[in-house]
Amino acid sequence: MADHQEETINTISQHQVFPSKPITTTTSLPLTFFDLVYLHAGSVHRLFFFSFPHSTSHFLSSSLPTLLSNLSHSLHLFPPLSSHLSLSSTPLQLISTPTDSTPFTISEFTGDPNKFHHLISDHPKPRSLFKPLLPLLLSTDPNKRPLMALQVTIFPFHGLCLAMAIDHVVGDGASFNHFRKSFATGSLFGPPPVFDRTLIPDPSNKLYSTYLNFYLKYQPQSYLTSPQADEDNYIATFTLRREHIEKLKLKQIHCTTFVVSCAYVWVCMAKANAWPGERTSHFFFAFDCRSRLRPPLSSTYFGNCLLGCFIELKVKELVGEDGVTAAAKAIKAGIEDLEERGVLSDAEGMMEKVRALPKDLTLVVAGSPRFRVYETEFEGWGKPVKVDTVLKSKSGALCISESRDGEGGVEFGLVLSLPLMHQFTSCFDDGLRFI
């Protein structure tokens, strides 16, 4: 795509979308220690690309009214998403006022519309190409953080991109997934969301105070990513098809698709980076605690309910002949150990442990195949032809989802420098030829 892409995207209209049933009084929702984990994390950008062989005027007349109506109704069902985070309140809270709304921008790409097909391809693309497609979470008040913004960019007669920016402090992937499916249909998907914060166990507010002190201690920048700008990074998608996964499983102890897929990518990352064999590599992912708490939470609890799982392994074991097996065993053992001890057993020291992870030797995984992002069907658009998450880190972060071919595979969205991306691609492809 041309370097001047920003000059070829024109804003058509900007909307402030309010919940379908207006809020008449100010309400609040306190943050839990699970939410405090993400005070530093900032926003998550998810892009859904759809085939749309129609004109911009067709979108404005046929799709936009329904889209605005569906969003308004969904904001009523999920009120935290149209609220703001108050950083001046004690304790920290999500505040909903009658004037709070969600910004929604409609844009048109006026360059070569075939660029749409370039954007949805799997091969490496500069991260900067996606920047004009991303909505911004802007505030004139440093004590108020808006929590969601949306943007649709139309590529006339080819496709469109629906991009969502959500501040992670308002909710995790499961919460966003519940909202997204309701937004797509214009009605509640599944059981209603649960907002009751008293259901979160935190004896004596010990975890809350620990996580709040961590936030106050460090500068408000992500501790999982480099603070430098990542405009020179590249984004690419890698797919493990079902037959790949089945072959990998035959060589391992009994394990899940998630475990064996992550093990394979971890090995590829170690080889691509040429990490020193005597060093220790780290694998980190966040897991859903809803069903693992005692008593368990509803699966539709809206908010954050994630804690980290830390796995480590010597690089020489990762890159050895049985590297995928060693990685799969380590990941499986780490998950089982945490579940046996209780998911809150290491919660108090988690934040400092995350901060101590060596960025040059750590693989961070976000997302989950169980969210079924490719089943998000909007009226008149069908299902997405590509879903991307624009990650910040170039040092080893990826987002996992189910494969869009619907055949039981998985996709990984990866952000790396271009030379390292080429190295990773070579390791990934070579490994599949020999399983």
Side-chain angles (χ1 to χ4, degrees):
M1 188 173 286
D3 293 335
H4 302 292
Q5 185 194 11
E6 290 188 63
E7 299 175 4
T8 61
I9 288 189
N10 294 333
T11 298
I12 297 174
S13 60
Q14 294 179 311
H15 308 263
Q16 294 295 328
V17 184
F18 291 85
S20 56
K21 293 186 179 180
I23 298 172
T24 57
T25 59
T26 297
T27 60
S28 64
L29 194 64
L31 299 188
T32 72
F33 70 87
F34 282 118
D35 301 320
L36 295 179
V37 171
Y38 295 100
L39 276 171
H40 284 300
S43 56
V44 177
H45 290 95
R46 203 103 202 227
L47 287 75
F48 297 83
F49 293 91
F50 297 86
S51 176
F52 192 76
H54 307 290
S55 66
T56 298
S57 60
H58 180 80
F59 170 85
L60 296 175
S61 61
S62 67
S63 294
L64 183 57
T66 301
L67 203 58
L68 293 173
S69 176
N70 287 0
L71 177 58
S72 179
H73 183 60
S74 300
L75 292 176
H76 167 66
L77 298 172
F78 298 84
L81 291 173
S82 61
S83 64
H84 66 270
L85 170 64
S86 173
L87 294 171
S88 60
S89 61
T90 305
L92 296 176
Q93 300 179 77
L94 306 180
I95 305 293
S96 296
T97 73
T99 60
D100 282 325
S101 60
T102 297
F104 195 177
T105 301
I106 310 300
S107 301
E108 181 185 45
F109 181 80
T110 57
D112 179 0
N114 282 303
K115 300 299 185 183
F116 175 81
H117 305 285
H118 176 66
L119 282 168
I120 65 174
S121 65
D122 288 347
H123 65 260
K125 298 168 289 294
R127 185 182 182 275
S128 58
L129 296 186
F130 293 88
K131 185 177 179 181
L133 307 178
L134 305 180
L136 299 177
L137 289 173
L138 301 174
S139 176
T140 57
D141 186 338
N143 289 316
K144 291 183 178 181
R145 269 168 52 176
L147 299 175
M148 186 170 72
L150 295 88
Q151 178 174 324
V152 166
T153 303
I154 306 152
F155 296 76
F157 300 105
H158 286 77
L160 57 82
C161 173
L162 170 62
M164 303 182 185
I166 297 185
D167 193 314
H168 208 322
V169 77
V170 74
D172 54 22
S175 296
F176 174 54
N177 197 47
H178 195 189
F179 161 77
R180 174 176 48 81
K181 290 183 176 180
S182 300
F183 172 35
T185 60
S187 60
L188 182 63
F189 182 89
V194 174
F195 303 103
D196 187 357
R197 281 4 189 191
T198 65
L199 299 174
I200 301 295
D202 184 10
S204 303
N205 283 325
K206 190 174 183 180
L207 292 175
Y208 184 92
S209 59
T210 298
Y211 289 11
L212 180 60
N213 289 337
F214 180 92
Y215 170 72
L216 297 173
K217 182 178 179 180
Y218 298 107
Q219 293 298 316
Q221 63 186 30
S222 175
Y223 40 86
L224 286 178
T225 63
S226 170
Q228 286 81 27
D230 290 330
E231 296 306 319
D232 59 339
N233 294 340
Y234 281 69
I235 295 176
T237 302
F238 298 85
T239 300
L240 284 174
R241 298 196 301 272
R242 183 176 181 177
E243 56 265 34
H244 297 146
I245 293 168
E246 294 304 321
K247 288 181 180 179
L248 287 169
K249 284 184 176 181
L250 287 175
K251 297 184 177 183
Q252 320 307 326
I253 54 174
H254 178 69
C255 60
T256 65
T257 293
F258 175 84
V259 168
V260 76
S261 300
C262 290
Y264 182 76
V265 174
W266 191 10
V267 168
C268 293
M269 188 67 75
K271 291 179 178 179
N273 281 278
W275 289 333
E278 294 304 317
R279 297 286 301 276
T280 297
S281 178
H282 300 261
F283 175 75
F284 172 81
F285 69 96
F287 63 94
D288 193 335
C289 296
R290 286 169 176 79
S291 64
R292 297 176 170 98
L293 294 175
R294 296 293 177 264
L297 280 182
S298 166
S299 62
T300 61
Y301 171 80
F302 189 92
N304 287 289
C305 196
L306 302 174
L307 288 177
C309 187
F310 301 81
I311 315 294
E312 59 182 51
L313 201 62
K314 285 286 187 181
V315 172
K316 62 183 178 182
E317 293 186 66
L318 276 175
V319 300
E321 184 176 349
D322 297 319
V324 177
T325 298
K329 285 182 177 179
I331 296 171
K332 182 182 179 183
I335 295 171
E336 291 175 345
D337 176 65
L338 192 59
E339 290 185 332
E340 287 177 7
R341 291 185 291 109
V343 293
L344 298 182
S345 59
D346 294 335
E348 188 174 348
M350 186 191 73
M351 300 298 285
E352 291 290 352
K353 194 172 180 180
V354 170
R355 188 173 183 273
L357 289 172
K359 292 182 176 64
D360 60 334
L361 287 160
T362 299
L363 175 64
V364 180
V365 174
S368 171
R370 66 184 177 85
F371 291 151
R372 317 303 299 175
V373 294
Y374 283 103
E375 294 179 3
T376 306
E377 187 165 359
F378 282 79
E379 182 181 351
W381 304 351
K383 296 179 180 180
V385 294
K386 184 72 184 296
V387 179
D388 270 315
T389 300
V390 180
L391 300 169
K392 300 177 183 178
S393 176
K394 66 180 177 182
S395 58
L398 58 87
C399 187
I400 183 173
S401 68
E402 86 279 12
S403 174
R404 61 187 179 276
D405 63 15
E407 298 296 328
V410 294
E411 286 184 6
F412 295 93
L414 192 61
V415 180
L416 294 170
S417 65
L418 188 58
L420 187 53
M421 186 73 79
H422 290 324
Q423 285 294 107
F424 181 88
T425 302
S426 177
C427 295
F428 188 91
D429 292 343
D430 288 347
L432 293 183
R433 281 194 282 269
F434 294 102
I435 59 173

